[in-house]
Each structure stands twice: as C-alpha cells, then as structure tokens.
Amino acid sequence: MRKTDRTLAAELASALPGSTVTLRGHVHRRRELAAVTFLIVRDRSGLAQVVVKDGQALPPEETPVQVTGTATANPQAPGGVEVAGPTITPLAEPAETPAVELWRPSLEASLPVLLDHAVTAWRHPAQRARWELAAASLRGFRRTLDDRGFTEVHSPKIVESVTESGANVFELDYFGRPAYLAQSPQLYKQQLVGIFERVYEVGPVFRAEPHDTVRHLAEYVSLDVELGFVRDHHDVIAVLRDVVAGMVAGIEEYAAGAVDRLGLTLPVVPAELPVVHFRDALAIAGAPADEPDLAPAHERALGEWAREEHGSDLVVVEGYPTAHRAFYSHPDPADPQWSRSFDLIFRGTELVSGAQRLHRYADYVAALESRGYPLEPYAAYVDAFRQGIPPHGGFAIGLERWVSRLVGAANIREVTLFPRDLHRLAP
Ligand code: AMO
C-alpha cells in the first residue's frame, strides 16, 4: 500500500517535536491576533493549529489546503502541539464565504438557512456529529443482525404495487406502465424470509407525505428486519430490543466523540422492553377507548409514563386494532379485533412499527378482500404464500427519527443530510 505522508489533526499530539508534518484539510479559521496569526485547519479528525509568519498570505475559510511545517510543542494548542514555519498550498480555488459561520462553536443559523446551505453547514463539527451518530448506529444495527444469522438484502425500489397505503405513494412512468417508488421493502422482505429465513435491509424508502410535519420526510432511510419461524410477535420484539441495544453500543464504540461534542445522554436499553397493550395505552394517554390509533400527543404521554413507571426511554405498544393496521398484520387468534402488531415509542415518538404477519395464502386473499383492495397488483406477492412461507414477523426503524430523538431535534430535517419534503428537492 502507498504510504501516506499525511498527519491528521488528531495525530498531531503524538508527532515528535521538531519533525516535519503535512496536514491536509479545510481552512477552518484565520485568527489574526496582535502579535501572531493562527491558521486553524480542520480535517475529518478534528482541528489543528498552525502558527503563521507575519505577512504570509492565507487562503479564505473553507479552502482545502496542504500545510507542511514543523511539529512544535505549545500547551495552548489543541493536543499540545502546533505546526510552525508552514508552507501553505491551496488544493482548490479560494472558497466563497460560507453563508453560515462554521468556526463558531455552535451553528447560529435558522433551519431554512442550514438546509439551503447543507453542503457547508454539515461541515460544522457539531452538525457532522449528528450524522456520525447515524453511521455508528448503522454499524451497530448490522453487527447485531450479522451475529444473529441474518442476511443483508436489497430489494427493488421500483415496484408494481402500493406496499403501505395508497395515500402517500409516488407514481412513476415505467416504460409506459404505471409503477411506484417503494414505500417500504415490506412485500419483498417477507418473501425473502422463505429464502434466507432472517433478512435485513438498509435503504431509502419513499413517501409522498402530503403534510409538512416535523417528523415526516418524503424520502427516509428504513432499517428493515424480518425473521421466520417465530411463535408470535414477542419473538420479534426480543430481536428489536437487541437491535436497539446494538445501535446504542455502536454509538458508544464508534461515535463517542460525537456524543461528547453534542453532550448527549444515550438511552439505557432494559433487558426486556416494557410492553403495554393498545387498550391500556389509550387509557394511560387519556384517549377515548374507541380511538383507532395513537396520536402524537398520546405517544408523548406514553413516553412520559414509561419514564416514570419503568425508568425507560423506550416502550412497546402491542395489539393495535386489526382493522386499522396494514393488511399483512396477523390478528391475535384469541381476539381477532386486536392484532399481533406493535410500535416502539422512543422518547415520546413512534420510532418503529412491526408485527407478526399473515403467512397463509387464504388469509391474504381474505385480508385484501375485506379491505376492498384489488388482488391483481399483489398477485406475485400473495402467490408466494402458496410456496410455503413460515410464520414470520419483522419491523422497521426510521433512521432519521432515531437520530432526531437521540439529539432532541425539534425537526427531523435537522438530522437529515439532504432532506426531501413537500417543498424541497435541492440541495
Ligand atoms: P411504518 O410506515 O410505520 O411501517 O414505518 C416504520 C418507521 O419508519 C419511520 N417513518 C418515517 N420517517 C420519516 N419520514 C416518514 N415519512 C416516515 N414514515 C415512517 C418511523 C416509523 O416508525 N412496513 C412497515 C414496517 C414493518 O411492519 O416491518 C412500515 O413501513 O420511524
């Protein structure tokens, strides 16, 4: 392998004083003091201080540069070592002045400004930390499932039938035929259980959300899991518990710096997630007993209840009314008006939906019919259940929802790299 000549900012602290080092990064800030001028260089690992000779020309903030100089001890520098006597070479044309002041300790700009200028705003260490949480969570997610015999899959994003509900589907022209952008990998992950038994997928899903809310995007990253040979949805909830614990462990292992920079308290995941039946959840939230679903205010109330009663940031609500859940949800055999479906509420917001699914062909035909859905667009999917699909279930976690709750963001867009919504298609 070609040896690198580059020293990262974080490695500067262990550079031998007097040795020649080469940094490459962005000009984070030019600081002209009365007696001395500093150039702060930012790279993926952090910040480094460079002492500049009087009169030496400095490229403007955000210009990528190479700096070669001498590692010199200075207790006031980050890590106790700075670079002196530098040769500074721009690696691109001088950058334009960014719309947001990236050198300030915190980003002082409104959400629309941050979103319009995402390309630079995400460079801020505190902003980047948010995606570092997402990336570390994904490592934890994959590791947990890889260790438990799951196979990672990728299912098509151009599909012939609506998977969740018709209300929020993007239609497209597929060689003259109608097709849709997948609202979830639901129909494929279930069929893949027949092949691999345990599967997961990390991928984009598309929802033409008609409302401008703080928790909905038109495209988000769905972390999907599906497993076969379950006894009921409690086997699925047990895997969900391990997955969430694995995501927290991933953050602790791979994004400890981001947790520090953001001053976060990570959730403690109990050995068993508290589970409450939908009926009782309505009562806890003070909602009428005939409500078909939990509204955001009810979820907040349940979040508070879980914190007080169980000391937990997480609570599972099971047994949603069958008639109001997705058609593939398995009814509770003891009382079919309730389903073997569940949601996981994290810090007062729905983070996960899941269920045991129907797995018999005749049950699918009946479920589609009772909802008035045509069978034809689901023919390929429903036919799979004639080929022997075991009892199975699964769930999906919204990645942006997860990070949003972790950092306490007021709006999901704050943690989304390039959000897509009713009004935004760029950047
Ligand atoms: P559901 O539609 O509830 O379930 O979605 C699962 C999780 O995805 C997140 N989510 C969203 N995040 C951002 N923007 C949106 N518009 C959005 N919609 C949903 C939430 C939600 O809990 N097929 C089922 C899952 C399953 O049963 O396996 C499904 O998609 O965090």
Side-chain angles (χ1 to χ4, degrees):
M1 200 170 81
R2 191 172 176 212
K3 201 171 167 298
T4 184
D5 63 339
R6 182 179 179 193
T7 299
L8 290 173
E11 297 164 347
L12 196 55
S14 47
L16 220 54
S19 64
T20 299
V21 291
T22 295
L23 301 170
R24 288 192 194 95
H26 285 91
V27 174
H28 187 61
R29 197 178 179 197
R30 297 168 292 181
R31 282 183 70 204
E32 288 173 32
L33 307 180
V36 60
T37 294
F38 292 115
L39 177 74
I40 309 297
V41 174
R42 184 188 73 242
D43 65 20
R44 67 175 192 270
S45 73
L47 303 176
Q49 179 166 295
V50 180
V51 200
V52 178
K53 287 188 288 279
D54 272 350
Q56 193 169 356
L58 296 179
E61 273 78 13
E62 294 314 308
T63 306
V65 289
Q66 169 171 307
V67 177
T68 300
T70 308
T72 308
N74 173 3
Q76 260 111 57
V81 177
E82 63 189 9
V83 177
T87 304
I88 300 163
T89 316
L91 298 175
E93 57 198 335
E96 286 178 13
T97 307
V100 286
E101 293 184 305
L102 295 172
W103 51 269
R104 290 194 187 276
S106 58
L107 265 176
E108 312 284 351
S110 68
L111 184 59
V113 171
L114 291 180
L115 298 182
D116 286 344
H117 301 280
V119 171
T120 40
W122 273 99
R123 294 180 185 181
H124 190 280
Q127 187 64 18
R128 231 180 44 187
R130 294 169 163 190
W131 184 259
E132 288 166 17
L133 297 175
S137 301
L138 288 173
R139 288 179 77 173
F141 175 82
R142 288 195 164 99
R143 182 171 64 183
T144 305
L145 293 163
D146 291 342
D147 288 349
R148 283 165 180 71
F150 284 77
T151 300
E152 180 163 2
V153 295
H154 288 280
S155 62
K157 301 302 153 216
I158 303 175
V159 295
E160 69 170 348
S161 50
V162 166
T163 57
E164 300 303 326
S165 82
N168 59 1
V169 66
F170 285 111
E171 193 170 338
L172 55 92
D173 174 0
Y174 188 70
F175 305 115
R177 279 197 285 159
Y180 307 99
L181 288 179
Q183 293 157 300
S184 74
Q186 184 65 38
L187 309 191
Y188 286 96
K189 67 175 178 172
Q190 290 185 254
Q191 299 177 66
L192 286 161
V193 161
I195 302 171
F196 297 106
E197 199 182 300
R198 302 185 140 203
V199 294
Y200 71 88
E201 175 164 356
V202 175
V205 297
F206 306 91
R207 308 266 174 114
E209 300 292 353
H211 309 293
D212 217 345
T213 84
V214 296
R215 56 189 215 161
H216 290 94
L217 299 163
E219 174 176 350
Y220 69 92
V221 179
S222 185
L223 313 187
D224 273 86
V225 173
E226 200 74 19
L227 56 148
F229 299 104
V230 300
R231 289 164 294 180
D232 59 29
H233 59 301
H234 291 282
D235 284 340
V236 181
I237 293 170
V239 172
L240 172 59
R241 183 266 157 208
D242 289 354
V243 163
V244 175
M247 290 167 75
V248 173
I251 293 173
E252 284 167 341
E253 192 167 341
Y254 303 116
V259 172
D260 270 0
R261 254 177 286 157
L262 295 168
L264 298 185
T265 307
L266 293 177
V268 177
V269 182
E272 245 180 77
L273 296 174
V275 179
V276 30
H277 194 276
F278 179 75
R279 269 181 319 232
D280 304 324
L282 286 181
I284 291 166
D290 59 354
E291 283 284 312
D293 199 359
L294 295 175
H298 302 146
E299 291 174 1
R300 280 195 292 279
L302 274 162
E304 276 165 37
W305 174 83
R307 183 117 281 291
E308 280 162 25
E309 289 294 313
H310 296 278
S312 175
D313 285 329
L314 300 147
V315 56
V316 174
V317 179
E318 67 170 346
Y320 285 77
T322 305
H324 297 284
R325 285 299 264 209
F327 69 90
Y328 48 76
S329 311
H330 199 298
D332 180 350
D335 188 353
Q337 67 165 311
W338 309 111
S339 65
R340 284 184 169 175
S341 69
F342 60 86
D343 276 5
L344 174 67
I345 294 172
F346 173 39
R347 294 181 176 165
T349 302
E350 176 202 320
L351 171 69
V352 179
S353 282
Q356 181 184 347
R357 328 293 187 184
L358 300 173
H359 67 281
R360 293 189 178 86
Y361 174 77
D363 290 344
Y364 274 96
V365 175
L368 288 167
E369 207 174 82
S370 76
R371 285 173 159 80
Y373 293 179
L375 191 60
E376 208 271 319
Y378 297 98
Y381 164 67
V382 169
D383 266 352
F385 296 97
R386 291 207 258 210
Q387 316 295 323
I389 304 281
H392 64 285
F395 57 85
I397 304 172
L399 179 65
E400 295 84 350
R401 285 261 180 106
W402 165 246
V403 180
S404 170
R405 289 298 82 221
L406 280 177
V407 306
N411 191 316
I412 194 167
R413 290 159 185 78
E414 292 170 30
V415 302
T416 308
L417 287 175
F418 297 106
R420 291 289 173 264
D421 63 26
L422 206 51
H423 308 292
R424 194 169 283 276
L425 192 53

